[in-house]
Amino acid sequence: MERIAGAPDVRRRRADRARQVADLLRRQIVHGQVTHGQLPLEAALAREFGVSRNTVREALDLLRDEGLVERCPGVGTTVAAEKYPHGLHRLLGLAETLHEHGEVTNQVRTMALMDPPAAVSHRLGLAPGEQVVYLERLRRLNGSPLSLDLTYLVRDVGEPLFDADLEHNDIFVLLERLAGQPLGMAELTLEAVSADPHTAAALDAPRGAALLMVERLTHLSDGRPVDLEFIRFRGDRLTMRGHLRRDHSEE
């Protein structure tokens, strides 16, 4: 017996198409392809994507809920906030990565010598009883909160940072000077998390807002791990980009 599609099926299909349109528009916004920050009219978008105006409205509502656009009667849809690109193809500090987009400043909220949790000691390859330097920074781009960074540093390169200008310098640049060798590689994990009350207040974000969580263990060029970070980025202000190549030699 043939099933007749009803209203729920129509709504689901429209919602599916709205997500597809939202994904394509999001990419245009993130890559700066929206002229003067003004999106085309709904009718023009409907023609461009081959969908109904209701579908376009749902797509724009999704982007509005993300905080990416604003919809104003008589004005149209405009880009509400810029998303900054963070590349994944090179090991760089935040200021090095975003230097084309403005000034990165760092507010040191906590800095202390401490006995690390066992999990931190294990990741950094420390001997039992060996202390670390713990550092918590609120990082801003052009004055707006961008990330909350929790950092554990091995003691011999971390302790000299107490006398360093941490407000205007990336840790990576300072570490290379102190260690007398360049950084080598980093192990990276990305995941989405919700903003806890403390982080939300620090980042001036709604409680429970979506954050991009980065865990990064950075090694010197000789392979020694020296820097373990847990970084919470505002998901509405940063996007990760990278290039991946398929290695056919491993097939």
Side-chain angles (χ1 to χ4, degrees), residues 25-193:
L25 286 174
R26 187 186 300 105
R27 186 186 190 284
Q28 292 178 12
I29 293 170
V30 169
H31 285 75
Q33 297 171 352
V34 177
T35 305
H36 304 304
Q38 181 81 38
L39 272 69
L41 297 176
E42 291 178 1
L45 291 172
R47 288 192 300 271
E48 177 182 350
F49 294 108
V51 298
S52 68
R53 291 184 64 171
N54 283 338
T55 299
V56 168
R57 291 190 188 103
E58 288 192 21
L60 296 176
D61 285 343
L62 292 173
L63 297 178
R64 181 193 58 194
D65 292 343
E66 294 176 17
L68 199 56
V69 302
E70 294 178 345
R71 305 190 66 195
C72 304
V75 176
T77 304
T78 58
V79 176
E82 184 177 0
K83 270 198 171 188
Y84 301 100
H86 190 300
L88 294 176
H89 56 289
R90 295 180 62 194
L91 182 57
L92 297 172
L94 191 64
E96 294 174 309
T97 300
L98 301 179
H99 70 278
E100 296 179 355
H101 301 279
E103 181 185 13
V104 173
T105 56
N106 313 296
Q107 175 190 346
V108 177
R109 297 166 61 88
T110 303
M111 189 173 187
L113 194 63
M114 63 172 287
D115 297 319
V120 172
S121 293
H122 175 71
R123 296 294 304 282
L124 290 173
L126 302 179
E130 193 170 349
Q131 292 187 308
V132 298
V133 171
Y134 173 73
L135 176 63
E136 180 177 312
R137 292 169 297 162
L138 175 62
R139 314 196 70 184
R140 294 183 172 91
L141 178 61
N142 300 325
S144 297
L146 183 61
S147 71
L148 184 65
D149 296 18
L150 281 58
T151 305
Y152 301 88
L153 298 152
V154 296
R155 185 169 180 175
D156 60 304
V157 295
E159 264 192 309
L161 294 177
F162 281 97
D163 299 320
D165 179 10
L166 295 177
E167 182 179 354
H168 299 101
N169 286 287
D170 278 334
I171 289 290
F172 281 179
V173 174
L174 297 172
L175 285 181
E176 290 182 322
R177 292 176 188 167
L178 293 170
Q181 62 174 296
L183 298 173
M185 57 83 70
E187 303 163 32
L188 196 69
T189 301
L190 304 176
E191 60 182 308
V193 299

